[in-house]
Amino acid sequence: MKRIFISLISKFYTSLTGLASVLIIFIVAIILGNIIYNGLPGISWKFLTNAPETGMTGGGIFPAIFATVALVILMTLVVLPLGVFTAIYLHEYASQGSKYVYWVRLAIHNLAGVPSIVFGLFGLGFFIQFIGKNIDNIFFAHTLVYGQPAIIWAALTLALLTLPTVVVTTEEALRAVPDSFREAAYALGATRWQMVRHVVLPQAIGGILTGGILAVSRGAGEVAPIMFTGVAYYLPYLPTQLNHQFMHLGYHIYVLATQSPDVEVTKPILYSTVLVLLVLTVCLNFVAILIRTKTRQRLRGER
Amino acid sequence: MADKIVVKNLFVYYGKFQALKEINLTFTDRKITALIGPSGCGKSTLLRTLNRMNDLIKGVKVEGEVYLDGENIYLNNTNLVELRKKVGMVFQRPNPFPLTVFDNLVYGLRVRGTNNNRLLKEIVEKSLNNVWLWDELKDKLKKPALSLSLEQQQRLCLARLLAVEPEVILMDEPCSALDPIATGKIEELMFELKKEYTVVIVTHNMQQAARVSDFSGFLLLGDLIEFGETGKIFTAPKDERTQDYITGRFG
């Protein structure tokens, strides 16, 4: 009797855990299926290369695609050097276990836990109202040039948001390089920088790039941090200067979903925009995985 | 017989753990000195104090003096890069960089700014000849070093070191990852090396120490129990603990 009971319990948990995993597949399938089914018909060359028309009920999303890519590139230019150098300092230069390193690590972990909307407010307060305004006061005789929402401030805010990802993944990558290589380089009379530059970085580059791309794919989808720092509802021009405002895929989705004058007409456009953003992000993740695999193979000498 | 390295009153701590206690000994120029003892006795630690490789370990503290050619290498202003150019090291596991054979061999030269291709090629041939690898590898210079056999890799690491012309070669159990035939080759090589270099080798292998070294030091729990000519240590040790160890009663 007892034995049957035990086997019943066991079966119950097998089903329960199995069901939970099936549920995940199910949910992802529904989301993707729904988006692709409704979004794919709206994708066309015109949709990808034209600006919105007639109050967002027609036309395309090119300004949003262009500016999202531009924003992400700007962000990467800031976050990669900053994050990689921080990680190199923490892992290769700083004496391990020092109070300073402890505080830097703590700060990075806390940064990772800050809600993205708070980054947005911080960007508004710090970059725009403090730095931007002071630049205007000093260089532009109090006219409004940088003291307003702009793509550069949005990019800097996003860089802060993704900084922990880059630092942590870079540190992981550095940690994965065996100490024996460092010792071998030292034993040949290399300086610390030569050791880092020729021996550690080439082996860690795959991991570092993975971190960079993860940051990019996260940054591409974030809306909250840019809401106060530079994104615009609708703009007839592309951002060509650092102090321009811009349209953004994620924010465009929000606008289409909540601010449209005619929801029924906007719906297909909304679906297609979501699909474009999704494809963009998935592509970036895919590239990250590809680079990681390639680098691992190369390190094993498989080439 | 000149003194190459003189160790005076050396104490090493890892945090609170005392790894070496009051070590005094001398490494003779162009001789092979073996450091033997059971695992954890501090022989690797002692070896790594000679080129300050221990500095890389977290929480390490070194007291005392180590003189290389009469100069204390534990001064605050000691140039570690210069020191390690003179005192090179071969490690327990072969650790070629994930580069080609050629790039491995010239690494030490390139970090010193030698970029003359013809000169590099000459040195590559010479250092590979020194470890008897030239014939085996002359057609594989562009191959990844990690594709070589372990024993070739270890000899490559040695060649990589010889290419920068150190004065002292430290070997940390260089044969422990190798089979007996490969070990034999490395040992033969060591006899060749001591014509020009001062060699210090840490080994677990008693026979190896007896075969290759001119002097031996026996360490136990951080103490240098006995030091002297290898012949004497192995035939007539003064200390009972040395006797027990080399006859295999413990360790």
Side-chain angles (χ1 to χ4, degrees):
Chain A
M1 187 64 208
K2 200 178 173 194
R3 181 159 293 175
I4 294 172
F5 183 66
I6 290 176
S7 101
L8 267 181
I9 293 251
S10 165
K11 280 201 179 108
F12 172 73
Y13 280 110
T14 313
S15 331
L16 191 71
T17 48
L19 208 64
S21 63
V22 166
L23 199 65
I24 292 179
I25 304 243
F26 193 59
I27 292 171
V28 172
I30 286 187
I31 295 178
L32 286 182
N34 187 22
I35 292 172
I36 293 172
Y37 178 76
N38 289 300
L40 207 53
I43 306 272
S44 64
W45 184 244
K46 182 168 170 278
F47 182 74
L48 295 175
T49 55
N50 278 39
E53 289 160 12
T54 53
M56 311 282 186
T57 55
I61 51 167
F62 179 68
I65 297 177
F66 175 86
T68 304
V69 172
L71 177 72
V72 164
I73 290 173
L74 270 180
M75 174 202 82
T76 312
L77 289 180
V78 177
V79 76
L80 260 194
L82 188 62
V84 169
F85 281 123
T86 306
I88 289 177
Y89 177 78
L90 288 181
H91 196 261
E92 304 291 334
Y93 282 85
S95 65
Q96 297 304 307
S98 80
K99 265 270 174 301
Y100 177 70
V101 169
Y102 172 80
W103 285 112
V104 174
R105 288 227 167 86
L106 195 69
I108 291 165
H109 284 296
N110 275 312
L111 210 56
V114 174
S116 51
I117 191 78
V118 177
F119 277 102
L121 287 169
F122 172 80
L124 177 67
F126 181 73
F127 289 126
I128 297 175
Q129 296 190 333
F130 179 68
I131 297 196
K133 196 161 243 169
N134 278 309
I135 291 177
D136 285 352
N137 289 348
I138 296 166
F139 297 104
F140 299 100
H142 299 270
T143 52
L144 203 59
V145 181
Y146 279 101
Q148 57 184 342
I151 192 166
I152 177 71
W153 304 135
L156 288 177
T157 310
L158 276 185
L160 281 188
L161 177 91
T162 49
L163 185 63
T165 314
V166 176
V167 174
V168 170
T169 45
T170 304
E171 265 208 278
E172 285 301 321
L174 297 176
R175 204 167 295 138
V177 178
D179 273 339
S180 65
F181 290 127
R182 294 185 177 83
E183 291 179 344
Y186 281 137
L188 291 171
T191 63
R192 192 180 289 242
W193 171 245
Q194 285 170 332
M195 183 274 289
V196 170
R197 169 72 189 77
H198 303 300
V199 176
V200 176
L201 281 185
Q203 296 188 62
I205 196 73
I208 293 172
L209 288 180
T210 311
I213 291 165
L214 286 180
V216 165
S217 70
R218 165 121 201 252
E222 281 285 345
V223 175
I226 58 173
M227 269 169 80
F228 309 117
T229 52
V231 80
Y233 174 83
Y234 171 74
L235 281 176
Y237 60 86
L238 298 176
T240 48
Q241 284 180 12
L242 289 179
N243 66 340
H244 283 170
Q245 290 196 320
F246 58 97
M247 293 181 74
H248 182 269
L249 279 175
Y251 188 69
H252 196 61
I253 290 168
Y254 168 76
V255 166
L256 289 173
T258 59
Q259 321 278 309
S260 168
D262 187 341
V263 180
E264 282 312 310
V265 183
T266 327
K267 211 167 166 187
I269 302 180
L270 178 59
Y271 265 115
S272 301
T273 311
V274 171
L275 184 59
V276 170
L277 180 59
L278 214 63
V279 168
L280 203 71
T281 323
V282 169
C283 279
L284 288 170
N285 276 317
F286 185 69
V287 171
I289 294 165
L290 208 68
I291 290 178
R292 197 166 44 199
T293 333
K294 281 270 173 239
T295 322
R296 281 200 188 134
Q297 283 172 350
R298 193 167 55 84
L299 284 186
R300 281 196 228 104
E302 290 167 16
R303 274 179 210 273
Chain B
M1 288 205 300
D3 296 345
K4 187 70 182 174
I5 301 179
V6 181
V7 178
K8 274 189 185 160
N9 293 323
L10 184 76
F11 290 79
V12 177
Y13 306 86
Y14 295 128
K16 291 210 166 79
F17 175 73
Q18 192 169 24
L20 288 177
K21 301 165 196 164
E22 209 185 346
I23 304 289
N24 286 289
L25 84 164
T26 300
F27 298 96
T28 310
D29 196 18
R30 292 168 205 233
K31 295 284 173 201
I32 299 177
T33 306
L35 299 172
I36 57 174
S39 294
C41 69
K43 56 193 190 300
S44 277
T45 299
L46 177 56
L47 187 79
R48 294 164 66 99
T49 55
L50 303 181
N51 65 346
R52 291 189 60 174
M53 206 53 99
N54 275 335
D55 290 20
L56 302 180
I57 295 167
K58 189 177 147 185
V60 73
K61 202 174 91 195
V62 180
E63 287 169 5
E65 292 124 49
V66 176
Y67 294 92
L68 173 68
D69 292 327
E71 250 178 87
N72 188 0
I73 61 169
Y74 274 91
L75 299 175
N76 283 333
N77 61 2
T78 300
N79 184 335
L80 292 186
V81 174
E82 287 301 319
L83 171 67
R84 288 172 188 150
K85 282 178 192 175
K86 284 188 204 158
V87 186
M89 191 162 186
V90 177
F91 297 83
Q92 194 164 351
R93 285 198 64 83
N95 56 358
F97 302 125
L99 305 168
T100 63
V101 170
F102 186 89
D103 287 339
N104 261 284
L105 288 164
V106 300
Y107 181 83
L109 295 159
R110 282 201 176 134
V111 300
R112 269 156 236 197
T114 312
N115 277 318
N116 181 333
N117 243 330
R118 229 190 51 207
L119 185 67
L120 291 181
K121 275 182 194 151
E122 269 172 34
I123 294 174
V124 162
E125 180 170 355
K126 194 176 135 207
S127 19
L128 279 180
N129 262 324
N130 282 338
V131 299
W132 308 322
L133 265 181
W134 177 247
D135 290 332
E136 285 167 59
L137 291 189
K138 65 182 171 199
D139 301 322
K140 296 185 182 169
L141 295 178
K142 293 288 170 224
K143 288 235 168 152
L146 291 172
S147 68
L148 304 179
S149 74
L150 271 184
E151 180 255 342
Q152 285 176 326
Q153 286 185 25
Q154 190 65 306
R155 282 198 279 161
L156 179 73
C157 289
L158 193 52
R160 180 175 68 179
L161 188 59
L162 297 182
V164 302
E165 300 182 326
E167 296 168 19
V168 181
I169 299 176
L170 308 177
M171 297 182 161
D172 191 355
E173 297 185 38
C175 301
S176 64
L178 306 180
D179 64 44
I181 295 170
T183 301
K185 279 190 188 170
I186 301 270
E187 286 178 7
E188 229 178 301
L189 199 52
M190 290 170 70
F191 285 113
E192 207 57 37
L193 289 176
K194 77 170 177 180
K195 290 177 190 161
E196 284 179 64
Y197 304 95
T198 306
V199 179
V200 184
I201 176 173
V202 159
T203 178
H204 262 301
N205 181 332
M206 228 46 54
Q207 290 79 23
Q208 183 172 52
R211 278 194 301 264
V212 300
S213 68
D214 303 294
F215 297 94
S216 294
F218 172 62
L219 286 102
L220 190 61
L221 299 173
D223 280 309
L224 181 64
I225 304 292
E226 195 166 342
F227 183 81
E229 282 177 34
T230 300
K232 284 186 188 153
I233 292 256
F234 277 87
T235 52
K238 290 186 202 113
D239 197 289
E240 201 178 313
R241 290 166 293 181
T242 316
Q243 172 86 40
D244 286 350
Y245 184 69
I246 59 174
T247 52
R249 241 168 273 167
F250 73 91

